[in-house]
Amino acid sequence: MENSVYKRLIKLVFNYWPYLALSTATAFIYVALNGISVWLTASLINNILSDFDKLVLEHSHLSSSSILTLNEKIKYFTNELILRDTAKETLKMLCFSILIIFVLKNIFLYLKNISLIVVQYRLITELRNKLYIHFHSLSLSFFNRQKSGELTSIIVNDVANMRQALTVGFQRMFVEPINILVFTSLLFIISWQLASIAVIIIPLAGFVIIKISRSIRRKSRRTAVKIAGITNIITETLASIRVVKAFAMEDYEVGRFTKETDNYYNLMFRRSRLRSIAPPITETLGVLIGVLLLWIGGSEVLADKGITSEDFIRFILIMFSALQPIRSLSNVFAEVQVGAASAERVFHILDTKPTIIDRNNAIKNVEFNDQVLFDNVSFQYEDGESKVLEDVNFSIKKGSVVALVGASGSGKSTIADLIPRFFEPSKGKIKLDNVDIRDVGIKSLRKLMGIVTQETILFNDTISGNIAYGQNEIALTKIAEAAKVANAKEFINDLPHGFDTVIGEKGVRLSGGQRQRLAIARALLKDPPILILDEATSSLDTESEKNVQEAIDNLMKDRTVLVIAHRLSTIINADQIIVLDNGKIVESGSHTELLEKDGIYKNLYNIQFNN
């Protein structure tokens, strides 16, 4: 899994290769200019501390010599660039050269960073869009298993963690080693004996970094899970705030939340402690080796043998300059481990396949002309528990009203969920005009249906936006007509802004009956030939139920309707009533026929009407 995560991360980054190429090219130029700037700074110090005539004489020797070492060649070209007739002119040229090099270096640093910023934010946008699009392709069973807070955390927090790792992290892992290599090469050019001692820091630092990074990866996985748990508590509590307050459970929820945040703090602290310890360790190792080199090289300079004072100054400056990319590399490994842990969670979601998809050559444009037929349908959830439905056979003729009744858990809502293919039958077929609905495109199938449930789903939008949901450029007159038929126009007109009133999250600013009538108006505007009503009035008071029932009666006109009923008074006039018990059809017929059978239906009827 670990290798595949890194491969996929690299593949994601390389989708933006032009920007990465620009960033890498400018990074190389920056590295080269950085090396030159350190070299010239050493020359500046040497120029100030040394006798000018001695510098001229040394350059003259370099000019006349037929064989030069690489170090001497670089010094010769440096002197050719900066050496002038007087010490002051030479100093001026040297200062000017350093200024130009630093300006150019920072221009290329800006270009490197801005190229990465483009990749960062395009990548984070692409990933979030992919996740959100993928969420919509997944089946309802996936969302039944997952916590909404955890999914929110993945799309917000985990993608943000990946942003840093995928761009800055990977590029530094590529560029900083080059930076270290350039500085190390310069050290060997100056003195291979001293450089051999200096490079001991690289394997030592690498060992420290790798050991710490592995622990960071493990802690980052647990941290991502914890922040998802915190997000889930927030989402769950805000959605249920009325219940929390009704049961005076504020202290309980606060305790639950603070316990999670304390656990998160402990994990974050341990991870940050590991991330913070790597740079000081590598720098301390570097300083220890640097002090050793100062003693060895300084002793040689004082004894006037081996390395020259100019080369020693240059060596020490370059060696300490190399510590910065080494320290940066230690941070990069930590960032990449955090990003890799988050990437595992993101890829796990992206790799989840929808269980309900269109078949090849699925029918895209379908009409409803005859009946919906359940042909020996059975259903059980993926966890393998007992069957929810078993060998269900019935049909809904076009223009008829079929009602489902039975105790909770008898399978009524499952039947309603199978028709729009929210779930697939485990056995048997559901046919639309003798065509298996699995051969019909999902969007085409669902366009035939309007669904009104007990739990009304509304959005934090205007009333007109909720009624016209999913339909663009609908005239307000049509929206108003749908509201009128749904018995909603009267209360809408009483609102301060009428159809432009924003109703709050889940329609919280409206009563239950008002929300239900908006849902009915939405279904009316869609004008579906097939209507599914899932206990649409069971949670309403008597007056609200009367208004909603009238709206439902208007909605049911000239449509094929499947009604899941809790209150039998609402389905007395249904063409067919099907009684379910433990996932099986045990009775069916009209209201009158079922009363005559003296079975489950009559017993339910007697209980509700106190007979």
Side-chain angles (χ1 to χ4, degrees):
M1 174 66 180
E2 187 167 318
N3 289 334
S4 66
V5 166
Y6 287 125
K7 285 179 183 176
R8 292 176 73 171
L9 289 175
I10 292 169
K11 187 177 179 181
L12 276 174
V13 172
F14 273 88
N15 286 336
Y16 300 94
W17 67 265
Y19 294 101
L20 287 173
L22 175 62
S23 182
T24 302
T26 51
F28 282 142
I29 297 172
Y30 167 77
V31 167
L33 292 171
N34 197 32
I36 294 170
S37 68
V38 175
W39 190 280
L40 288 177
T41 302
S43 298
L44 175 63
I45 296 170
N46 184 65
N47 183 267
I48 293 170
L49 297 177
S50 300
D51 181 78
F52 179 69
D53 293 332
K54 185 181 178 182
L55 286 175
V56 174
L57 184 61
E58 286 178 356
H59 184 60
S60 178
H61 286 316
L62 291 174
S63 301
S64 59
S65 179
S66 57
I67 300 175
L68 296 174
T69 64
L70 185 55
N71 183 31
E72 289 171 333
K73 286 179 180 178
I74 295 174
K75 281 198 285 186
Y76 171 76
F77 286 118
T78 304
N79 288 338
E80 282 288 298
L81 172 67
I82 64 173
L83 209 57
R84 294 295 181 266
D85 295 335
T86 66
K88 192 170 184 179
E89 286 295 319
T90 300
L91 182 60
K92 183 195 290 185
M93 186 63 193
L94 186 54
C95 291
F96 180 74
S97 299
I98 290 174
L99 178 63
I100 292 297
I101 292 296
F102 269 87
V103 169
L104 288 173
K105 183 178 81 168
N106 283 287
I107 287 172
F108 284 102
L109 177 63
Y110 172 77
L111 290 173
K112 174 180 83 74
N113 290 339
I114 203 70
S115 302
L116 275 180
I117 287 169
V118 172
V119 177
Q120 279 184 357
Y121 289 103
R122 285 197 174 184
L123 188 62
I124 198 172
T125 303
E126 179 193 347
L127 274 173
R128 283 188 176 139
N129 288 345
K130 275 186 175 179
L131 277 169
Y132 191 72
I133 291 166
H134 191 63
F135 284 160
H136 285 284
S137 74
L138 294 171
S139 311
L140 274 182
S141 56
F142 169 82
F143 298 99
N144 290 343
R145 295 191 304 270
Q146 298 290 330
K147 298 175 181 177
S148 59
E150 185 171 354
L151 297 178
T152 303
S153 177
I154 289 171
I155 203 170
V156 176
N157 299 311
D158 286 312
V159 172
N161 289 339
M162 290 175 67
R163 174 182 66 85
Q164 188 75 4
L166 284 173
T167 51
V168 177
F170 272 120
Q171 207 229 28
R172 280 187 186 168
M173 285 180 70
F174 184 59
V175 172
E176 298 298 11
I178 302 297
N179 215 348
I180 294 168
L181 183 61
V182 168
F183 283 128
T184 305
S185 300
L186 290 174
L187 293 177
F188 274 96
I189 289 170
I190 296 168
S191 171
W192 69 267
Q193 296 95 335
L194 294 178
S196 299
I197 300 171
V199 295
I200 293 172
I201 188 178
I202 295 174
L204 286 176
F207 175 77
V208 171
I209 290 166
I210 289 170
K211 292 293 287 184
I212 291 173
S213 295
R214 286 176 179 169
S215 184
I216 287 173
R217 175 80 170 269
R218 291 192 299 270
K219 286 178 173 56
S220 294
R221 288 195 191 105
R222 295 201 293 270
T223 301
V225 171
K226 283 296 177 187
I227 193 63
I230 290 170
T231 308
N232 190 67
I233 289 175
I234 294 169
T235 305
E236 189 176 65
T237 304
L238 293 178
S240 312
I241 194 68
R242 184 182 294 271
V243 175
V244 172
K245 290 189 174 296
F247 283 80
M249 296 298 287
E250 291 91 344
D251 291 342
Y252 169 77
E253 292 297 339
V254 168
R256 193 162 68 107
F257 182 78
T258 53
K259 182 180 178 182
E260 285 293 316
T261 53
D262 286 344
N263 290 336
Y264 179 68
Y265 162 79
N266 290 329
L267 269 176
M268 285 291 289
F269 179 76
R270 290 199 293 271
R271 190 183 79 178
S272 297
R273 187 174 60 191
L274 283 171
R275 291 181 68 171
S276 300
I277 202 171
I281 288 175
T282 55
E283 188 162 330
T284 302
L285 288 171
V287 169
L288 286 172
I289 293 169
V291 169
L292 177 64
L293 290 170
L294 276 170
W295 172 254
I296 296 170
S299 298
E300 289 185 359
V301 171
L302 291 173
D304 199 20
K305 63 178 183 179
I307 192 169
T308 66
S309 60
E310 179 187 359
D311 284 340
F312 183 63
I313 291 169
R314 188 170 281 122
F315 186 93
I316 293 301
L317 281 175
I318 290 171
M319 189 196 69
F320 281 104
S321 296
L323 290 178
Q324 174 57 36
I326 291 172
R327 186 168 61 246
S328 176
L329 202 58
S330 68
N331 283 327
V332 164
F333 274 98
E335 287 172 359
V336 169
Q337 294 306 315
V338 172
S342 289
E344 288 175 355
R345 287 161 55 80
V346 171
F347 290 144
H348 176 72
I349 297 294
L350 290 174
D351 291 341
T352 302
K353 302 296 183 186
T355 54
I356 299 175
I357 57 175
D358 283 343
R359 288 179 172 176
N360 293 331
N361 303 316
I363 302 169
K364 298 300 181 185
N365 295 306
V366 67
E367 294 181 355
F368 175 55
N369 297 307
D370 184 20
Q371 67 174 354
V372 176
L373 175 68
F374 275 67
D375 183 8
N376 208 36
V377 171
S378 297
F379 176 80
Q380 65 184 102
Y381 290 104
E382 295 171 3
D383 54 17
E385 292 182 359
S386 58
K387 287 184 179 179
V388 180
L389 295 176
E390 188 172 357
D391 299 328
V392 170
N393 292 278
F394 73 95
S395 65
I396 309 170
K397 299 291 184 182
K398 183 177 181 179
S400 67
V401 176
V402 174
L404 302 178
V405 298
S408 296
S410 60
K412 305 185 299 296
S413 293
T414 302
I415 288 176
D417 286 341
L418 288 174
I419 296 174
R421 289 188 70 195
F422 292 153
F423 300 96
E424 300 278 40
S426 306
K427 190 184 79 171
K429 295 179 181 180
I430 301 172
K431 295 182 179 179
L432 183 77
D433 295 348
N434 293 319
V435 175
D436 190 332
I437 60 171
R438 285 172 289 196
D439 293 325
V440 178
I442 294 172
K443 288 185 178 179
S444 180
L445 176 69
R446 291 175 185 170
K447 282 180 180 178
L448 295 175
M449 299 173 191
I451 302 174
V452 180
T453 63
Q454 177 181 350
E455 182 187 1
T456 308
I457 306 300
L458 297 174
F459 301 92
N460 188 21
D461 196 355
T462 62
I463 284 178
S464 60
N466 272 280
I467 294 174
Y469 177 67
Q471 301 185 63
N472 298 323
E473 299 179 0
I474 294 289
L476 185 58
T477 53
K478 289 188 176 181
I479 295 173
E481 180 60 29
K484 181 180 178 181
V485 177
N487 279 354
K489 195 171 182 182
E490 184 177 344
F491 84 79
I492 293 172
N493 289 335
D494 290 338
L495 295 171
H497 303 290
F499 283 90
D500 293 326
T501 302
V502 177
I503 61 175
E505 189 176 2
K506 296 184 178 180
V508 69
R509 296 174 190 170
L510 302 177
S511 70
Q514 289 171 339
R515 290 196 295 269
Q516 200 69 289
R517 279 176 276 169
L518 283 191
I520 292 167
R522 182 169 60 197
L524 279 163
L525 192 64
K526 184 180 179 182
D527 195 24
I530 299 172
L531 186 62
I532 298 172
L533 302 174
D534 189 350
E535 301 197 44
T537 64
S538 64
S539 62
L540 302 178
D541 57 64
T542 305
E543 184 177 353
S544 294
E545 182 184 359
K546 179 176 178 294
N547 289 324
V548 171
Q549 191 59 52
E550 287 178 5
I552 288 174
D553 291 341
N554 292 333
L555 180 61
M556 290 169 60
K557 287 177 182 176
D558 303 319
R559 286 186 175 85
T560 304
V561 185
L562 177 70
V563 184
I564 297 174
H566 174 70
R567 298 179 181 177
L568 301 186
S569 59
T570 61
I571 50 105
I572 288 174
N573 296 321
D575 298 299
Q576 183 183 16
I577 300 171
I578 295 172
V579 183
L580 292 162
D581 186 40
N582 292 321
K584 296 181 180 180
I585 295 177
V586 291
E587 295 174 4
S588 67
S590 67
H591 171 71
T592 304
E593 291 169 346
L594 289 173
L595 288 179
E596 291 174 354
K597 288 183 179 180
D598 198 21
I600 291 176
Y601 181 81
K602 185 175 181 180
N603 185 49
L604 290 171
Y605 183 82
N606 289 337
I607 291 171
Q608 288 193 20
F609 292 94
N610 298 318
N611 291 336

